[in-house]
Amino acid sequence: MTLLKLLLEGATLLLVSRLIFNAFTSYRSKIPAAHWSANFSSAWILWIRYIFKEVSTIDQAHSKLGPVIRLAPHEVSVNCVKGGILTVYAGGFDKHPWYANLFDNFGIPNMFSTSAGKPHSERKRMLSNIYSKSYIQNSGTMTSITKILLFDRLLPKLQSLSKASQPFDIYAVISATTMDFVTAYLFGLSPSSNFLSDDEIRDKFLVNYTSRHSYNYFPQELPGLTNTLKAIGVRLVPTWVDAANESIGSWTLRMCDDADAFVNSEKGLKQKDAADPDIPETFRQLRTAMTKRDGNDNAVKEYQRLAIGSEMLDHLAAGFDTSGITLAFYVHELSKRPGLQRALHKELLTLEQPILIGKGRTDHGLPSAKVLDALPLLQATLQETLRLRSAIPGPQPRVTPTKGCTLGPDQEYFVPGGVRISAQAHSLHRNPEVFDDPETWRPERWLENSPEKLKDMNRWFWAFGSGGRMCVGSNLALYQMKYIIAALYSNWTIEIEDDEGFKQRDLYTAPPESGKLIVKLHTV
Ligand code: HEM
């Protein structure tokens, strides 16, 4: 009994002295702690994440304590360009396992979830070409897809809602459009989604997709605990979440198989470069690169089918959701500024082929993607929305390299290897020294400022991340968002009917809390 007591007391003493040593003598004590307990425990930040307050809490801590803060013994957050995102993200630090915990699909990594640099850059090289601005703007396939989605699906749908003066949820319509765009580019038009024509299937998918968000916490932050408990029959994630994931996974694999059949068909083999909307641009590119690498040209092997499926599922989700969120906030902000809607309408009518419906047009020509991309007000309003309402406002965790690194604008903090380190767009975009009156949506800031000031603003603009892990789909995102905005505001002004709860959630990917935005269209 006495021996046991002695042992227990000895162990407690050791633990306490270790904690005190860690808290006051290591590198950590020099970095301001976001919470008193952050020097020796992760409990506080785990709790903050559990109650969905991570983004706002980190933001407040940066405002109070400066650009480098400690969140836990082995976790740091940065909010500066020099000694911050330049060091970590342009420096190519590996991604934290946080990504693999949730974003591997079918148990297989993809570009987004891969931690290490080498396998990641091999995959990125396979795909970056088809996502480059010039490829997308000049792709005959993409032009055909865009015409069909806008003229045959989106505009007729909006016209009938407008004629009936019917209030409707524009967030759902926008999400349907971005899903139809992204899946058509991934898999070709025929096998892709047609959410714009089928509200029931769209809503079923959206409920399946979005209701899983609340259950990401345990597998992502506490994967060991989640798996151990699951092994003994205690589930932290309900079975229906697994079922929802399986359903989305099977749907993706079905589209992959159909795209594969097209690539192998007579038409697919012949029309390598034609403006055929059925060409599965992304799928075909990855399939070709992977089978070439592995030396099997004709049939895709099962491991390749799943690896391609994992990649496609990630692009499908990343591509539709983020653009949908951005556009919903865009409409919301613009609806508060009728004068700006009129100015945008006027700018859109300067296009050689404006996207008009019901004005005697028969040829359905599209304005050039390059010219559309260069419209200043369109660009400023979209960029301001991406700044203030970034679809991914939350921390993007990386791991410091073995030799450690120095952080802070004056390189004042040394951080050893193996530390979780992140920056978040939400805070970078709210630096009052760079963005005057940062909480106000003011697109004029992108039009009025001096070239020097603009350069600075662009250095802090982080909606698509930066460095080697920057968003590969940013050009596709801007392409589809600009055409969708052009289709909307060339024909209508938009009035809010009900925006209750239309506030951005505190999440890594952050949709509006209400999940809907009810509006009415007025013909211009
Ligand atoms: C408004 C739309 C979009 C926004 C705001 C956005 C934002 C981002 C951000 C911030 C990252 C880095 C995340 C991190 O490291 O934690 C990222 C990565 C990525 N995004 Fe996007 N994205 C958008 C659209 C798209 C689209 C349309 C696609 C593809 C179809 C896409 C595919 C990807 C992929 C594959 C990565 C991982 C890149 C890598 O690890 O190298 N995104 N995106």
Side-chain angles (χ1 to χ4, degrees), residues 105-106 179 183 187 195 201-213 240-256 309-310 312-318 320:
N105 298 313
F106 316 115
M179 181 62 99
T183 52
F187 307 109
F195 285 3
I201 292 189
R202 172 198 76 191
D203 291 344
K204 222 170 132 190
F205 172 86
L206 289 177
V207 168
N208 234 354
Y209 181 84
T210 49
S211 49
R212 302 166 316 152
H213 285 159
W240 67 260
V241 174
D242 291 349
N245 284 333
E246 266 161 40
S247 146
I248 295 169
S250 327
W251 178 54
T252 307
L253 286 179
R254 271 202 306 279
M255 291 193 278
C256 285
S310 172
M312 296 299 114
L313 176 44
D314 179 66
H315 293 213
L316 170 163
F320 105 88

mmCIF file of all heavy atoms in Angstrom, residues 105-106 179 183 187 195 201-213 240-256 309-310 312-318 320:
data_model
loop_
_atom_site.group_PDB
_atom_site.id
_atom_site.type_symbol
_atom_site.label_atom_id
_atom_site.label_comp_id
_atom_site.label_asym_id
_atom_site.label_seq_id
_atom_site.Cartn_x
_atom_site.Cartn_y
_atom_site.Cartn_z
ATOM 1 N N ASN A 105 -10.931 9.157 -49.754
ATOM 2 C CA ASN A 105 -12.198 8.522 -50.154
ATOM 3 C C ASN A 105 -11.925 7.071 -50.524
ATOM 4 O O ASN A 105 -10.889 6.763 -51.107
ATOM 5 C CB ASN A 105 -12.805 9.244 -51.363
ATOM 6 C CG ASN A 105 -13.131 10.694 -51.047
ATOM 7 O OD1 ASN A 105 -13.735 10.978 -50.015
ATOM 8 N ND2 ASN A 105 -12.712 11.616 -51.906
ATOM 9 N N PHE A 106 -12.831 6.182 -50.207
ATOM 10 C CA PHE A 106 -12.672 4.730 -50.406
ATOM 11 C C PHE A 106 -11.370 4.248 -49.734
ATOM 12 O O PHE A 106 -10.721 3.315 -50.211
ATOM 13 C CB PHE A 106 -12.642 4.358 -51.908
ATOM 14 C CG PHE A 106 -13.692 5.067 -52.721
ATOM 15 C CD1 PHE A 106 -13.340 5.981 -53.715
ATOM 16 C CD2 PHE A 106 -15.043 4.843 -52.484
ATOM 17 C CE1 PHE A 106 -14.299 6.653 -54.451
ATOM 18 C CE2 PHE A 106 -16.015 5.501 -53.225
ATOM 19 C CZ PHE A 106 -15.641 6.410 -54.205
ATOM 20 N N MET A 179 -22.927 22.235 -59.215
ATOM 21 C CA MET A 179 -22.731 20.776 -59.285
ATOM 22 C C MET A 179 -22.812 20.300 -60.743
ATOM 23 O O MET A 179 -21.997 19.482 -61.188
ATOM 24 C CB MET A 179 -23.789 20.052 -58.446
ATOM 25 C CG MET A 179 -23.627 18.547 -58.468
ATOM 26 S SD MET A 179 -22.041 18.013 -57.771
ATOM 27 C CE MET A 179 -22.544 17.552 -56.128
ATOM 28 N N THR A 183 -19.486 18.523 -62.325
ATOM 29 C CA THR A 183 -19.553 17.102 -62.730
ATOM 30 C C THR A 183 -19.454 16.969 -64.250
ATOM 31 O O THR A 183 -18.879 16.006 -64.748
ATOM 32 C CB THR A 183 -20.819 16.394 -62.194
ATOM 33 O OG1 THR A 183 -21.970 17.158 -62.555
ATOM 34 C CG2 THR A 183 -20.778 16.213 -60.692
ATOM 35 N N PHE A 187 -16.812 14.481 -65.683
ATOM 36 C CA PHE A 187 -17.255 13.206 -66.259
ATOM 37 C C PHE A 187 -17.867 13.323 -67.655
ATOM 38 O O PHE A 187 -18.263 12.309 -68.230
ATOM 39 C CB PHE A 187 -18.318 12.559 -65.360
ATOM 40 C CG PHE A 187 -17.885 12.428 -63.926
ATOM 41 C CD1 PHE A 187 -18.436 13.215 -62.924
ATOM 42 C CD2 PHE A 187 -16.912 11.504 -63.567
ATOM 43 C CE1 PHE A 187 -18.029 13.099 -61.607
ATOM 44 C CE2 PHE A 187 -16.496 11.375 -62.245
ATOM 45 C CZ PHE A 187 -17.058 12.180 -61.267
ATOM 46 N N PHE A 195 -29.031 18.394 -61.699
ATOM 47 C CA PHE A 195 -29.772 18.898 -60.542
ATOM 48 C C PHE A 195 -30.669 20.069 -60.918
ATOM 49 O O PHE A 195 -31.676 20.315 -60.270
ATOM 50 C CB PHE A 195 -28.801 19.351 -59.441
ATOM 51 C CG PHE A 195 -28.153 18.213 -58.675
ATOM 52 C CD1 PHE A 195 -28.384 16.890 -58.995
ATOM 53 C CD2 PHE A 195 -27.312 18.489 -57.600
ATOM 54 C CE1 PHE A 195 -27.793 15.852 -58.278
ATOM 55 C CE2 PHE A 195 -26.721 17.466 -56.870
ATOM 56 C CZ PHE A 195 -26.956 16.147 -57.210
ATOM 57 N N ILE A 201 -34.151 15.280 -56.638
ATOM 58 C CA ILE A 201 -32.845 14.606 -56.527
ATOM 59 C C ILE A 201 -31.827 15.577 -55.933
ATOM 60 O O ILE A 201 -31.009 15.220 -55.100
ATOM 61 C CB ILE A 201 -32.382 14.088 -57.909
ATOM 62 C CG1 ILE A 201 -33.320 12.964 -58.326
ATOM 63 C CG2 ILE A 201 -30.941 13.609 -57.874
ATOM 64 C CD1 ILE A 201 -32.894 12.203 -59.539
ATOM 65 N N ARG A 202 -31.899 16.841 -56.387
ATOM 66 C CA ARG A 202 -30.988 17.864 -55.857
ATOM 67 C C ARG A 202 -31.131 17.962 -54.336
ATOM 68 O O ARG A 202 -30.144 17.894 -53.612
ATOM 69 C CB ARG A 202 -31.348 19.220 -56.499
ATOM 70 C CG ARG A 202 -30.623 20.404 -55.903
ATOM 71 C CD ARG A 202 -31.323 21.716 -56.239
ATOM 72 N NE ARG A 202 -32.538 21.905 -55.431
ATOM 73 C CZ ARG A 202 -33.450 22.840 -55.650
ATOM 74 N NH1 ARG A 202 -33.317 23.673 -56.661
ATOM 75 N NH2 ARG A 202 -34.506 22.950 -54.865
ATOM 76 N N ASP A 203 -32.373 18.091 -53.864
ATOM 77 C CA ASP A 203 -32.578 18.287 -52.424
ATOM 78 C C ASP A 203 -32.144 17.068 -51.625
ATOM 79 O O ASP A 203 -31.575 17.191 -50.543
ATOM 80 C CB ASP A 203 -34.049 18.617 -52.136
ATOM 81 C CG ASP A 203 -34.393 20.010 -52.672
ATOM 82 O OD1 ASP A 203 -33.448 20.777 -52.959
ATOM 83 O OD2 ASP A 203 -35.584 20.316 -52.822
ATOM 84 N N LYS A 204 -32.398 15.887 -52.205
ATOM 85 C CA LYS A 204 -31.989 14.651 -51.510
ATOM 86 C C LYS A 204 -30.467 14.646 -51.346
ATOM 87 O O LYS A 204 -29.941 14.359 -50.278
ATOM 88 C CB LYS A 204 -32.435 13.438 -52.349
ATOM 89 C CG LYS A 204 -33.006 12.339 -51.498
ATOM 90 C CD LYS A 204 -33.649 11.297 -52.365
ATOM 91 C CE LYS A 204 -33.168 9.924 -51.928
ATOM 92 N NZ LYS A 204 -33.537 8.885 -52.840
ATOM 93 N N PHE A 205 -29.777 14.991 -52.419
ATOM 94 C CA PHE A 205 -28.313 15.014 -52.359
ATOM 95 C C PHE A 205 -27.847 16.048 -51.341
ATOM 96 O O PHE A 205 -26.973 15.775 -50.505
ATOM 97 C CB PHE A 205 -27.700 15.326 -53.735
ATOM 98 C CG PHE A 205 -26.211 15.546 -53.633
ATOM 99 C CD1 PHE A 205 -25.327 14.469 -53.690
ATOM 100 C CD2 PHE A 205 -25.679 16.817 -53.411
ATOM 101 C CE1 PHE A 205 -23.953 14.658 -53.539
ATOM 102 C CE2 PHE A 205 -24.307 17.010 -53.264
ATOM 103 C CZ PHE A 205 -23.448 15.936 -53.330
ATOM 104 N N LEU A 206 -28.415 17.264 -51.414
ATOM 105 C CA LEU A 206 -27.935 18.350 -50.539
ATOM 106 C C LEU A 206 -28.147 18.006 -49.059
ATOM 107 O O LEU A 206 -27.286 18.279 -48.229
ATOM 108 C CB LEU A 206 -28.623 19.673 -50.892
ATOM 109 C CG LEU A 206 -28.186 20.300 -52.232
ATOM 110 C CD1 LEU A 206 -28.983 21.574 -52.524
ATOM 111 C CD2 LEU A 206 -26.692 20.621 -52.256
ATOM 112 N N VAL A 207 -29.271 17.380 -48.739
ATOM 113 C CA VAL A 207 -29.525 16.995 -47.344
ATOM 114 C C VAL A 207 -28.477 15.953 -46.925
ATOM 115 O O VAL A 207 -27.834 16.056 -45.880
ATOM 116 C CB VAL A 207 -30.957 16.445 -47.178
ATOM 117 C CG1 VAL A 207 -31.132 15.772 -45.824
ATOM 118 C CG2 VAL A 207 -31.973 17.565 -47.339
ATOM 119 N N ASN A 208 -28.286 14.931 -47.790
ATOM 120 C CA ASN A 208 -27.296 13.881 -47.535
ATOM 121 C C ASN A 208 -25.910 14.477 -47.310
ATOM 122 O O ASN A 208 -25.190 14.107 -46.401
ATOM 123 C CB ASN A 208 -27.194 13.010 -48.799
ATOM 124 C CG ASN A 208 -27.419 11.557 -48.477
ATOM 125 O OD1 ASN A 208 -27.530 11.195 -47.323
ATOM 126 N ND2 ASN A 208 -27.482 10.730 -49.493
ATOM 127 N N TYR A 209 -25.567 15.428 -48.152
ATOM 128 C CA TYR A 209 -24.223 16.007 -48.159
ATOM 129 C C TYR A 209 -23.992 16.913 -46.947
ATOM 130 O O TYR A 209 -23.009 16.772 -46.232
ATOM 131 C CB TYR A 209 -24.027 16.789 -49.467
ATOM 132 C CG TYR A 209 -22.673 17.423 -49.604
ATOM 133 C CD1 TYR A 209 -21.586 16.691 -50.091
ATOM 134 C CD2 TYR A 209 -22.466 18.748 -49.239
ATOM 135 C CE1 TYR A 209 -20.337 17.269 -50.203
ATOM 136 C CE2 TYR A 209 -21.216 19.330 -49.345
ATOM 137 C CZ TYR A 209 -20.153 18.588 -49.841
ATOM 138 O OH TYR A 209 -18.914 19.162 -49.935
ATOM 139 N N THR A 210 -24.938 17.829 -46.714
ATOM 140 C CA THR A 210 -24.675 18.849 -45.702
ATOM 141 C C THR A 210 -24.898 18.346 -44.272
ATOM 142 O O THR A 210 -24.210 18.804 -43.363
ATOM 143 C CB THR A 210 -25.540 20.109 -45.908
ATOM 144 O OG1 THR A 210 -26.876 19.682 -46.083
ATOM 145 C CG2 THR A 210 -25.108 20.903 -47.099
ATOM 146 N N SER A 211 -25.808 17.405 -44.090
ATOM 147 C CA SER A 211 -26.081 17.012 -42.705
ATOM 148 C C SER A 211 -24.907 16.242 -42.093
ATOM 149 O O SER A 211 -24.856 16.056 -40.888
ATOM 150 C CB SER A 211 -27.380 16.218 -42.610
ATOM 151 O OG SER A 211 -27.368 15.221 -43.575
ATOM 152 N N ARG A 212 -23.920 15.825 -42.894
ATOM 153 C CA ARG A 212 -22.759 15.113 -42.342
ATOM 154 C C ARG A 212 -21.787 16.062 -41.644
ATOM 155 O O ARG A 212 -20.972 15.637 -40.843
ATOM 156 C CB ARG A 212 -21.988 14.383 -43.462
ATOM 157 C CG ARG A 212 -22.827 13.384 -44.241
ATOM 158 C CD ARG A 212 -22.107 12.985 -45.516
ATOM 159 N NE ARG A 212 -21.550 14.172 -46.169
ATOM 160 C CZ ARG A 212 -20.477 14.162 -46.940
ATOM 161 N NH1 ARG A 212 -19.830 13.057 -47.140
ATOM 162 N NH2 ARG A 212 -20.036 15.285 -47.505
ATOM 163 N N HIS A 213 -21.876 17.384 -41.989
ATOM 164 C CA HIS A 213 -20.890 18.346 -41.482
ATOM 165 C C HIS A 213 -20.693 18.305 -39.964
ATOM 166 O O HIS A 213 -19.580 18.401 -39.474
ATOM 167 C CB HIS A 213 -21.297 19.788 -41.863
ATOM 168 C CG HIS A 213 -21.038 20.085 -43.309
ATOM 169 N ND1 HIS A 213 -21.673 21.086 -43.988
ATOM 170 C CD2 HIS A 213 -20.230 19.498 -44.206
ATOM 171 C CE1 HIS A 213 -21.258 21.109 -45.242
ATOM 172 N NE2 HIS A 213 -20.389 20.153 -45.397
ATOM 173 N N TRP A 240 -25.894 6.408 -40.091
ATOM 174 C CA TRP A 240 -26.454 7.015 -41.303
ATOM 175 C C TRP A 240 -25.435 7.909 -42.015
ATOM 176 O O TRP A 240 -25.535 8.134 -43.218
ATOM 177 C CB TRP A 240 -27.756 7.768 -41.022
ATOM 178 C CG TRP A 240 -27.618 9.004 -40.172
ATOM 179 C CD1 TRP A 240 -27.873 9.118 -38.848
ATOM 180 C CD2 TRP A 240 -27.186 10.310 -40.598
ATOM 181 N NE1 TRP A 240 -27.613 10.400 -38.424
ATOM 182 C CE2 TRP A 240 -27.195 11.154 -39.467
ATOM 183 C CE3 TRP A 240 -26.790 10.848 -41.817
ATOM 184 C CZ2 TRP A 240 -26.835 12.499 -39.529
ATOM 185 C CZ3 TRP A 240 -26.431 12.184 -41.873
ATOM 186 C CH2 TRP A 240 -26.443 12.996 -40.753
ATOM 187 N N VAL A 241 -24.409 8.394 -41.273
ATOM 188 C CA VAL A 241 -23.367 9.213 -41.917
ATOM 189 C C VAL A 241 -22.548 8.310 -42.858
ATOM 190 O O VAL A 241 -22.244 8.686 -43.995
ATOM 191 C CB VAL A 241 -22.455 9.900 -40.881
ATOM 192 C CG1 VAL A 241 -21.286 10.617 -41.546
ATOM 193 C CG2 VAL A 241 -23.260 10.901 -40.058
ATOM 194 N N ASP A 242 -22.233 7.098 -42.373
ATOM 195 C CA ASP A 242 -21.524 6.140 -43.241
ATOM 196 C C ASP A 242 -22.379 5.829 -44.472
ATOM 197 O O ASP A 242 -21.882 5.747 -45.592
ATOM 198 C CB ASP A 242 -21.227 4.834 -42.491
ATOM 199 C CG ASP A 242 -20.175 5.026 -41.407
ATOM 200 O OD1 ASP A 242 -19.542 6.105 -41.395
ATOM 201 O OD2 ASP A 242 -19.992 4.121 -40.575
ATOM 202 N N ALA A 243 -23.679 5.664 -44.240
ATOM 203 C CA ALA A 243 -24.575 5.330 -45.365
ATOM 204 C C ALA A 243 -24.602 6.490 -46.372
ATOM 205 O O ALA A 243 -24.563 6.278 -47.594
ATOM 206 C CB ALA A 243 -25.974 5.045 -44.844
ATOM 207 N N ALA A 244 -24.634 7.731 -45.855
ATOM 208 C CA ALA A 244 -24.644 8.900 -46.752
ATOM 209 C C ALA A 244 -23.340 8.948 -47.557
ATOM 210 O O ALA A 244 -23.354 9.177 -48.774
ATOM 211 C CB ALA A 244 -24.811 10.178 -45.938
ATOM 212 N N ASN A 245 -22.211 8.680 -46.876
ATOM 213 C CA ASN A 245 -20.920 8.677 -47.582
ATOM 214 C C ASN A 245 -20.895 7.603 -48.658
ATOM 215 O O ASN A 245 -20.396 7.821 -49.762
ATOM 216 C CB ASN A 245 -19.769 8.441 -46.594
ATOM 217 C CG ASN A 245 -19.483 9.691 -45.783
ATOM 218 O OD1 ASN A 245 -19.732 10.803 -46.227
ATOM 219 N ND2 ASN A 245 -18.990 9.509 -44.569
ATOM 220 N N GLU A 246 -21.434 6.426 -48.303
ATOM 221 C CA GLU A 246 -21.438 5.338 -49.285
ATOM 222 C C GLU A 246 -22.277 5.694 -50.506
ATOM 223 O O GLU A 246 -21.902 5.424 -51.639
ATOM 224 C CB GLU A 246 -21.989 4.056 -48.659
ATOM 225 C CG GLU A 246 -20.871 3.176 -48.123
ATOM 226 C CD GLU A 246 -21.364 2.151 -47.125
ATOM 227 O OE1 GLU A 246 -22.457 1.580 -47.343
ATOM 228 O OE2 GLU A 246 -20.660 1.955 -46.101
ATOM 229 N N SER A 247 -23.411 6.331 -50.248
ATOM 230 C CA SER A 247 -24.297 6.672 -51.364
ATOM 231 C C SER A 247 -23.615 7.696 -52.298
ATOM 232 O O SER A 247 -23.655 7.558 -53.534
ATOM 233 C CB SER A 247 -25.621 7.173 -50.797
ATOM 234 O OG SER A 247 -26.180 8.156 -51.584
ATOM 235 N N ILE A 248 -22.948 8.690 -51.715
ATOM 236 C CA ILE A 248 -22.252 9.698 -52.539
ATOM 237 C C ILE A 248 -21.079 9.041 -53.276
ATOM 238 O O ILE A 248 -20.821 9.307 -54.452
ATOM 239 C CB ILE A 248 -21.788 10.891 -51.660
ATOM 240 C CG1 ILE A 248 -23.011 11.622 -51.104
ATOM 241 C CG2 ILE A 248 -20.914 11.864 -52.446
ATOM 242 C CD1 ILE A 248 -22.715 12.654 -50.025
ATOM 243 N N GLY A 249 -20.396 8.104 -52.577
ATOM 244 C CA GLY A 249 -19.276 7.383 -53.194
ATOM 245 C C GLY A 249 -19.727 6.534 -54.372
ATOM 246 O O GLY A 249 -19.102 6.557 -55.446
ATOM 247 N N SER A 250 -20.837 5.786 -54.211
ATOM 248 C CA SER A 250 -21.290 4.924 -55.321
ATOM 249 C C SER A 250 -21.739 5.765 -56.506
ATOM 250 O O SER A 250 -21.510 5.399 -57.664
ATOM 251 C CB SER A 250 -22.476 4.029 -54.943
ATOM 252 O OG SER A 250 -22.417 3.671 -53.647
ATOM 253 N N TRP A 251 -22.387 6.871 -56.216
ATOM 254 C CA TRP A 251 -22.828 7.770 -57.304
ATOM 255 C C TRP A 251 -21.607 8.244 -58.099
ATOM 256 O O TRP A 251 -21.615 8.240 -59.342
ATOM 257 C CB TRP A 251 -23.575 8.959 -56.667
ATOM 258 C CG TRP A 251 -24.049 9.997 -57.621
ATOM 259 C CD1 TRP A 251 -24.834 9.800 -58.726
ATOM 260 C CD2 TRP A 251 -23.765 11.407 -57.559
ATOM 261 N NE1 TRP A 251 -25.063 11.012 -59.352
ATOM 262 C CE2 TRP A 251 -24.426 12.009 -58.647
ATOM 263 C CE3 TRP A 251 -23.057 12.213 -56.689
ATOM 264 C CZ2 TRP A 251 -24.377 13.385 -58.899
ATOM 265 C CZ3 TRP A 251 -23.011 13.585 -56.925
ATOM 266 C CH2 TRP A 251 -23.665 14.146 -58.015
ATOM 267 N N THR A 252 -20.539 8.626 -57.371
ATOM 268 C CA THR A 252 -19.324 9.098 -58.053
ATOM 269 C C THR A 252 -18.716 7.983 -58.905
ATOM 270 O O THR A 252 -18.322 8.221 -60.062
ATOM 271 C CB THR A 252 -18.282 9.574 -57.007
ATOM 272 O OG1 THR A 252 -18.905 10.522 -56.156
ATOM 273 C CG2 THR A 252 -17.067 10.192 -57.665
ATOM 274 N N LEU A 253 -18.648 6.770 -58.333
ATOM 275 C CA LEU A 253 -18.047 5.666 -59.103
ATOM 276 C C LEU A 253 -18.874 5.341 -60.349
ATOM 277 O O LEU A 253 -18.325 4.988 -61.395
ATOM 278 C CB LEU A 253 -17.888 4.418 -58.227
ATOM 279 C CG LEU A 253 -16.749 4.483 -57.199
ATOM 280 C CD1 LEU A 253 -16.683 3.213 -56.364
ATOM 281 C CD2 LEU A 253 -15.388 4.724 -57.865
ATOM 282 N N ARG A 254 -20.196 5.488 -60.237
ATOM 283 C CA ARG A 254 -21.045 5.241 -61.425
ATOM 284 C C ARG A 254 -20.696 6.245 -62.524
ATOM 285 O O ARG A 254 -20.582 5.897 -63.701
ATOM 286 C CB ARG A 254 -22.524 5.376 -61.057
ATOM 287 C CG ARG A 254 -23.148 4.079 -60.582
ATOM 288 C CD ARG A 254 -24.659 4.074 -60.722
ATOM 289 N NE ARG A 254 -25.326 5.210 -60.087
ATOM 290 C CZ ARG A 254 -25.606 5.288 -58.779
ATOM 291 N NH1 ARG A 254 -25.248 4.319 -57.963
ATOM 292 N NH2 ARG A 254 -26.232 6.341 -58.284
ATOM 293 N N MET A 255 -20.509 7.519 -62.122
ATOM 294 C CA MET A 255 -20.162 8.532 -63.136
ATOM 295 C C MET A 255 -18.777 8.245 -63.718
ATOM 296 O O MET A 255 -18.553 8.421 -64.914
ATOM 297 C CB MET A 255 -20.228 9.945 -62.524
ATOM 298 C CG MET A 255 -21.648 10.357 -62.188
ATOM 299 S SD MET A 255 -21.828 12.118 -61.806
ATOM 300 C CE MET A 255 -21.322 12.168 -60.100
ATOM 301 N N CYS A 256 -17.852 7.765 -62.868
ATOM 302 C CA CYS A 256 -16.513 7.393 -63.366
ATOM 303 C C CYS A 256 -16.636 6.266 -64.399
ATOM 304 O O CYS A 256 -16.006 6.319 -65.462
ATOM 305 C CB CYS A 256 -15.631 6.884 -62.229
ATOM 306 S SG CYS A 256 -15.023 8.156 -61.150
ATOM 307 N N GLY A 309 -11.513 7.482 -58.631
ATOM 308 C CA GLY A 309 -12.785 7.787 -57.955
ATOM 309 C C GLY A 309 -12.554 8.691 -56.743
ATOM 310 O O GLY A 309 -13.300 9.643 -56.514
ATOM 311 N N SER A 310 -11.509 8.391 -55.963
ATOM 312 C CA SER A 310 -11.215 9.202 -54.774
ATOM 313 C C SER A 310 -10.917 10.647 -55.178
ATOM 314 O O SER A 310 -11.389 11.600 -54.556
ATOM 315 C CB SER A 310 -10.016 8.594 -54.028
ATOM 316 O OG SER A 310 -9.602 9.441 -52.997
ATOM 317 N N MET A 312 -11.856 12.167 -58.029
ATOM 318 C CA MET A 312 -13.042 12.813 -58.625
ATOM 319 C C MET A 312 -14.045 13.230 -57.542
ATOM 320 O O MET A 312 -14.649 14.296 -57.607
ATOM 321 C CB MET A 312 -13.753 11.855 -59.603
ATOM 322 C CG MET A 312 -12.953 11.447 -60.817
ATOM 323 S SD MET A 312 -12.488 12.822 -61.884
ATOM 324 C CE MET A 312 -10.763 12.783 -61.692
ATOM 325 N N LEU A 313 -14.200 12.358 -56.539
ATOM 326 C CA LEU A 313 -15.155 12.668 -55.468
ATOM 327 C C LEU A 313 -14.719 13.924 -54.713
ATOM 328 O O LEU A 313 -15.536 14.780 -54.356
ATOM 329 C CB LEU A 313 -15.273 11.458 -54.518
ATOM 330 C CG LEU A 313 -16.148 11.599 -53.265
ATOM 331 C CD1 LEU A 313 -17.462 12.283 -53.548
ATOM 332 C CD2 LEU A 313 -16.415 10.237 -52.645
ATOM 333 N N ASP A 314 -13.416 14.066 -54.529
ATOM 334 C CA ASP A 314 -12.932 15.259 -53.841
ATOM 335 C C ASP A 314 -13.191 16.517 -54.680
ATOM 336 O O ASP A 314 -13.657 17.533 -54.167
ATOM 337 C CB ASP A 314 -11.435 15.125 -53.535
ATOM 338 C CG ASP A 314 -10.943 16.365 -52.837
ATOM 339 O OD1 ASP A 314 -11.382 16.614 -51.706
ATOM 340 O OD2 ASP A 314 -10.171 17.130 -53.447
ATOM 341 N N HIS A 315 -12.926 16.440 -55.986
ATOM 342 C CA HIS A 315 -13.115 17.631 -56.834
ATOM 343 C C HIS A 315 -14.603 17.989 -56.925
ATOM 344 O O HIS A 315 -14.960 19.163 -56.951
ATOM 345 C CB HIS A 315 -12.571 17.386 -58.237
ATOM 346 C CG HIS A 315 -11.079 17.228 -58.260
ATOM 347 N ND1 HIS A 315 -10.294 17.641 -59.306
ATOM 348 C CD2 HIS A 315 -10.213 16.693 -57.361
ATOM 349 C CE1 HIS A 315 -9.018 17.367 -59.052
ATOM 350 N NE2 HIS A 315 -8.956 16.786 -57.870
ATOM 351 N N LEU A 316 -15.414 16.946 -57.000
ATOM 352 C CA LEU A 316 -16.865 17.162 -57.093
ATOM 353 C C LEU A 316 -17.355 17.950 -55.860
ATOM 354 O O LEU A 316 -18.044 18.963 -55.977
ATOM 355 C CB LEU A 316 -17.489 15.774 -57.172
ATOM 356 C CG LEU A 316 -18.959 15.449 -57.072
ATOM 357 C CD1 LEU A 316 -19.142 14.041 -57.623
ATOM 358 C CD2 LEU A 316 -19.513 15.510 -55.696
ATOM 359 N N ALA A 317 -16.909 17.485 -54.669
ATOM 360 C CA ALA A 317 -17.365 18.130 -53.439
ATOM 361 C C ALA A 317 -16.756 19.528 -53.307
ATOM 362 O O ALA A 317 -17.467 20.509 -53.065
ATOM 363 C CB ALA A 317 -16.983 17.266 -52.244
ATOM 364 N N ALA A 318 -15.419 19.601 -53.491
ATOM 365 C CA ALA A 318 -14.731 20.887 -53.344
ATOM 366 C C ALA A 318 -15.286 21.888 -54.343
ATOM 367 O O ALA A 318 -15.485 23.057 -54.029
ATOM 368 C CB ALA A 318 -13.233 20.711 -53.577
ATOM 369 N N PHE A 320 -18.265 22.056 -56.145
ATOM 370 C CA PHE A 320 -19.641 22.575 -56.168
ATOM 371 C C PHE A 320 -19.931 23.389 -54.909
ATOM 372 O O PHE A 320 -20.524 24.457 -54.951
ATOM 373 C CB PHE A 320 -20.639 21.410 -56.337
ATOM 374 C CG PHE A 320 -21.380 21.037 -55.087
ATOM 375 C CD1 PHE A 320 -22.569 21.669 -54.751
ATOM 376 C CD2 PHE A 320 -20.887 20.068 -54.205
ATOM 377 C CE1 PHE A 320 -23.249 21.343 -53.575
ATOM 378 C CE2 PHE A 320 -21.545 19.745 -53.048
ATOM 379 C CZ PHE A 320 -22.732 20.377 -52.731
#
